[in-house]
Amino acid sequence: MRRPDMYTVAKLLYIVLILFIIISPFAFIFYRAVTFRRPTGVEFVGLRFFEEITEDYWRALGNSLLVGLLVALLDFAIALPPAYILSKYDFKFKKVLTAVLVAPMFTPDVVAGVGLSTVYFRYYHLYGTLLGTVLGLASTSYPMMLLPLLVSIRSLDPTYEEAAKTLGATPLQTILRVVIPLIGPGIFSGFLLTFVWSINNYLLPLFITGPGIDLLAVKLYSDIRWWGLLGRVAAEASILQLATFGVMLLYLKTIGTKYLTGFSF
Amino acid sequence: MQRPSGIGRAVVYLALIPTVLYITLFWIIPILHVFLVSLTYRNSFIMGAPRFVGLSNYAKVFSEYIKSIENSIKLPLAAATVDLILGYPLAYLLTRRKVLFHNVLRASLVFPYFGDLYISYGLWNMFLPGGLFDFVYRLLDISYRQILYTPYAVVAGFSIFTLPFMVLYISSNLQEIDPSLEEAALTLGATPIRAFFRVVLPLTLPGAVAGFLACFGWNLGGYLIPLLLGGIRAGDVMTVKIVHLTLQIHDYGVAAALSVVLISMTILTTYMTFKVTKVLR
């Protein structure tokens, strides 16, 4: 190779730059959570700010985890039938259906929020309820379940299903006993993505959840807006951030980046 | 691929009913309602009887809020360009070469995916006095306000937020290209640079375009990043205005008209992304 030194150095610098750019905002929140700034200098305060976190934060955490779990389950129920049908059959309006099914992912949460809150107020009477929150969050997150499922069902070898059919299984049995176990990684991927997505979503709940139910991301959002300089808020953000990282690391360890876009070229 | 026939067809269509019903109730109807609300006066649609005022809300949007629309296009476009420049080499290195910190890099890429909350808060803290950039301010002898609360800060936040999309789109495009094409070009006497520009770049163009569109589209909906990092003037984008108009002023009419402008732009971007990728094929 010609001029290996310059190339290697440039590559290394570039990688360090990218790592710094991506990691520093996240790392700085952790740093803020354990330090206190005085005019004389920065003081390490350990976990003092974490102890200042109040009871309602933990209640909100419970609510958020419940909502995230319900959203992921609902997403799975909504996304499995179309994922299976779209990857196995060909029919009229298939393209239109695919587009309509994937498009919600690209809807800005603000627009979904304005739309959902007006119909919730006027017709559905779901404003401020847990059910309304789950149903609303699922509407913009289920494509994240659908795309991994589509990818994994498409790459499934059809001979397994044919074998099951030949051996006398009904279509429902084939799906439950053969297809679902084989597409396990796709399902797991969809679950983690939609779960993390919904526990971190503050914008849609701002419109549809109302003040009745405390959700962690919403609480964090308003704390950041009004009390952003307090160490306690940095500590609060650190906890949700750690939970998110934990789930995403689990995701990368088990699945990798294979299903993250779902698009092919 | 098979076409369903006879009883199979009935089952196929029946199985789709719950999903289609759900999407209709919780996505199509709300979005169509945004159009309807955009024709009504203030919050008359949700409180009492809707009072239709024609297109006057749109007139207001295109006179008073034109600045927000302009910012909403400019800032994400700038961010998508930054992402393309920063992300293309990264995607190439991650798919074709084994680099230092390979796994750390790959893992860190996923973090911004969900971290709109953390990126804006973290960057805001870093830019504030007493943050990480204190030495830069001292070195250049500038006030922190010459960085924070300017379009540059917003573009920085946006581009960190969407960098993973760019890298993922380009690298999934690169993975589908046979590395032997590049090797062939090199064997036939092309310099590495020439091989890259004549072989790899044209083949990854769909990925780059899709990544660009995706970055643009995601940032169109970004809310907290312009709000925290841009402040009142630089962060004056459509999403911030919509939230302000609905949750604080309760002027749903104008907010819905702005939302219609925003969703039209998103739908157009998404449609182009679909055209470039094979998701609809």
Side-chain angles (χ1 to χ4, degrees), chain B residues 3 25 63 86 99 194 230 233 265 279:
Chain B
R3 285 190 176 273
L25 281 176
S63 58
L86 274 182
V99 291
R194 196 175 154 82
R233 201 129 43 84
M265 279 157 58
V279 76

Side-chain angles (χ1 to χ4, degrees), chain A residues 8 23 34 43 49 58 66 86-87 132 151 156 159 174 176 182 202 223 225 242 252 255 260:
Chain A
T8 317
I23 294 175
V34 293
E43 181 196 343
F49 289 134
W58 303 108
L66 178 67
L86 286 175
S87 45
V151 174
L156 189 65
T159 48
T174 314
L176 289 180
L182 282 175
Y202 56 91
D223 277 356
R225 277 206 71 183
L242 266 184
L252 283 168
I255 296 156
L260 277 175

Side-chain angles (χ1 to χ4, degrees), chain B residues 214-257:
Chain B
C215 290
F216 177 75
W218 279 96
N219 281 333
L220 266 181
Y223 165 68
L224 198 56
I225 292 175
L227 184 74
L228 270 189
L229 300 176
I232 292 167
R233 201 129 43 84
D236 177 14
V237 294
M238 281 194 266
T239 46
V240 173
K241 277 284 180 286
I242 292 169
V243 172
H244 180 68
L245 280 167
T246 45
L247 300 179
Q248 268 130 43
I249 311 182
H250 301 292
D251 192 343
Y252 276 76
V254 176

Side-chain angles (χ1 to χ4, degrees), chain B residues 39-53:
Chain B
L39 303 173
T40 59
Y41 177 72
R42 292 187 69 89
N43 62 352
S44 64
F45 190 86
I46 47 172
M47 301 286 173
R51 223 181 89 201
F52 288 93
V53 287

Side-chain angles (χ1 to χ4, degrees), chain B residues 5-27:
Chain B
S5 57
I7 202 150
R9 174 155 40 182
V11 171
V12 164
Y13 290 141
L14 276 178
L16 280 177
I17 286 178
T19 309
V20 171
L21 196 68
Y22 172 80
I23 301 309
T24 312
L25 281 176
F26 289 92
W27 192 66

Side-chain angles (χ1 to χ4, degrees), chain A residues 98-111:
Chain A
T98 317
V100 170
L101 287 176
V102 180
M105 191 163 114
F106 297 94
T107 321
D109 280 338
V110 181
V111 179

Side-chain angles (χ1 to χ4, degrees), chain A residues 2 7 11-12 14-26 28-29 32 37 74 77-79 81-82 85-92 94-95 97-112 114-124 126 134-140 142 144 147 154 192-193 196-197 200 202-203 206-207 217 220-221 224-225 227-230 233-234 237 240-241 244-245 248-249 251-252 256-257 260-265, chain B residues 1-4 12-13 15-16 19-20 22-31 33-34 36-37 44-46 48-50 85-90 93 97-101 104-119 121-126 128-133 160 163 165 168-169 172-173 176 191-192 206-207 210 217-218 220-221 223-224 227-228 239 242-243 246-248 252 255-256 259 262-263 266 270 273-274 276-281:
Chain A
R2 286 183 302 138
Y7 173 70
K11 203 168 77 173
L12 189 71
Y14 170 72
I15 285 170
V16 170
L17 174 77
I18 294 279
L19 276 176
F20 173 78
I21 288 176
I22 297 178
I23 294 175
S24 59
F26 298 93
F28 204 73
I29 296 178
R32 266 282 179 273
R37 216 164 50 245
L74 179 63
I78 306 164
I85 289 163
L86 286 175
S87 45
K88 291 281 170 198
Y89 300 105
D90 215 358
F91 50 89
K92 250 192 218 171
K94 186 177 162 178
K95 281 186 183 178
L97 186 69
T98 317
V100 170
L101 287 176
V102 180
M105 191 163 114
F106 297 94
T107 321
D109 280 338
V110 181
V111 179
V114 172
L116 280 169
S117 63
T118 49
V119 293
Y120 275 17
F121 267 126
R122 206 168 163 79
Y123 310 110
Y124 300 173
L126 286 170
V134 172
L135 285 169
L137 278 172
S139 78
T140 49
Y142 80 90
M144 254 176 280
L147 290 172
R154 262 185 204 150
L192 292 185
L193 284 181
V196 174
W197 178 267
N200 279 303
Y202 56 91
L203 206 45
L206 211 59
F207 279 95
L220 196 55
Y221 158 76
I224 286 176
R225 277 206 71 183
W227 310 100
L229 289 172
L230 292 186
V233 179
L240 191 57
Q241 197 175 296
T244 306
F245 284 4
M248 287 321 288
L249 278 181
Y251 179 92
L252 283 168
T257 50
L260 277 175
T261 61
F263 290 105
S264 60
F265 293 91
Chain B
M1 283 292 174
Q2 60 193 73
R3 285 190 176 273
V12 164
Y13 290 141
L16 280 177
T19 309
V20 171
Y22 172 80
I23 301 309
T24 312
L25 281 176
F26 289 92
W27 192 66
I28 298 176
I29 291 181
I31 297 297
H33 260 80
V34 176
L36 194 62
V37 176
S44 64
F45 190 86
I46 47 172
I85 295 165
L86 274 182
Y88 197 102
L90 188 60
L93 287 177
R97 305 264 190 281
K98 194 84 190 161
V99 291
L100 207 61
F101 305 124
V104 182
L105 207 54
R106 222 171 46 114
S108 69
L109 267 186
V110 192
F111 294 162
Y113 217 74
F114 302 98
D116 153 351
L117 208 56
Y118 316 117
I119 286 173
Y121 180 51
L123 274 181
W124 180 65
N125 260 318
M126 280 161 70
L128 277 175
L132 203 61
F133 293 122
I160 296 175
L163 186 64
F165 296 99
L168 287 168
Y169 276 75
S172 63
N173 193 170
E176 287 168 25
T191 60
W218 279 96
L220 266 181
Y223 165 68
L224 198 56
L227 184 74
L228 270 189
T239 46
I242 292 169
V243 172
T246 45
L247 300 179
Q248 268 130 43
Y252 276 76
S259 304
L262 181 57
I263 190 93
T266 322
T270 312
T273 317
F274 285 170
V276 177
T277 59
K278 279 186 191 144
V279 76
L280 294 184
R281 267 175 252 162

